[in-house]
Amino acid sequence: MRPSMDDGLISTVKSAFEEELIVKQLELSPRLQLLADWVLPGAAFADVGTDHGYLPVWLRLQGRVVSAIASDLRKGPLERARETGRTYGADGIDYRLGNGLEGIRAEEADTIAIAGMGGENIISILEAAPWTGDGQHRLLLAPHTHAERLRQWLMEHHYTILREALVRDRGTIYPVMEVTAGEMQLSLGQLYGGAKLLQDPLGDRYIIERIIRLQGAVAGANRSEKYEDRIKADGLRDILTALLELREEWRHANRPRD
C-alpha cells in the first residue's frame, strides 16, 4: 500500500520537529556558552582542546560559523567529539589530532578558542604558534588556573585583552578573555584580579577569592625560617596590597548612583 500525501506530510513535520529537538537538547555549560556568545557570525572557528566537541558542534548547529576545526591532543577526547557531532548531526567540522595549534594553519581559522586548561598550557600553545599575534586572529581564552601568568605573558608578547568577563560554572568562577594583537599595560592588581572586570558583577567575589588565597600563602611563607620564603612573602604582600586597591576601585565603580 502506497503512503498517502498526509502520511508524507506527517513524516516531514515529524522529521523537522526531531531535528529542532536535537538542537535544543545540546545545552552548553555557562563557560562554554559565554565563549560561544563571543564568536562572531560567519567566523572560521577552531577549538583547541575540544574534549567532547560541544562548542564547535553547537556553533555549527546554530549556523554561527562557516567552518570549524575540533582539535585535541588525545585520541579519546577527539573520538568523543566525533561522536557528539554524529549524535547531533553537525556537519562542517574537521576533527584533528594534534598538540595545540601545530596542525592548524593560520589561514584556516580567524577565531580560536582555547579553554579547559591552565594558563601555563595556553601560554605554551601560543608560544608555538606566533602567527596568532598577527592581528588577523581573535583568541577566546578561558584559563582554569594561573590566569595572572597568562595576562602577564600576553602583555609582554604584544597581545591585548579586548574584553574580559567572569562566569560561574559548577560553583567556580572562571575568567574568559577576548584577545588579539596589540599593546597593553596592566597594573599588578589587574594581572591578578582581572584586566577589565571593574563592571563585572562577579568581580568583587573573584578579587576576594584571590585575596584569601594570597593571605594563606603569605601566612605559610611567614612561618618558614628560610630566607627565600621571607622574600617571597614580601612579594605576595605587594600583590595583596594591589588587590585590595583594585577591590576598592571595583566597589567605587559599582556603588549605587543617586
Side-chain angles (χ1 to χ4, degrees), residues 31-32 46-53 56 69-74 77-78 96 98-101 104 113-117 125:
R31 178 176 56 88
L32 291 181
D47 185 27
V48 176
T50 195
D51 197 14
H52 286 81
I69 298 171
S71 172
D72 207 284
L73 177 63
R74 295 169 296 161
L78 196 62
R96 297 187 187 178
N99 185 8
L101 287 161
I104 300 174
I114 310 177
M117 62 189 75
I125 290 171

Side-chain angles (χ1 to χ4, degrees), residues 6 8 10 18 42 68 93 133 164 178 183 195 213 222:
D6 287 344
I10 291 172
E18 288 174 346
I93 300 176
E164 184 171 355
E178 180 184 0
E183 303 297 328
R213 290 181 185 178
N222 283 337

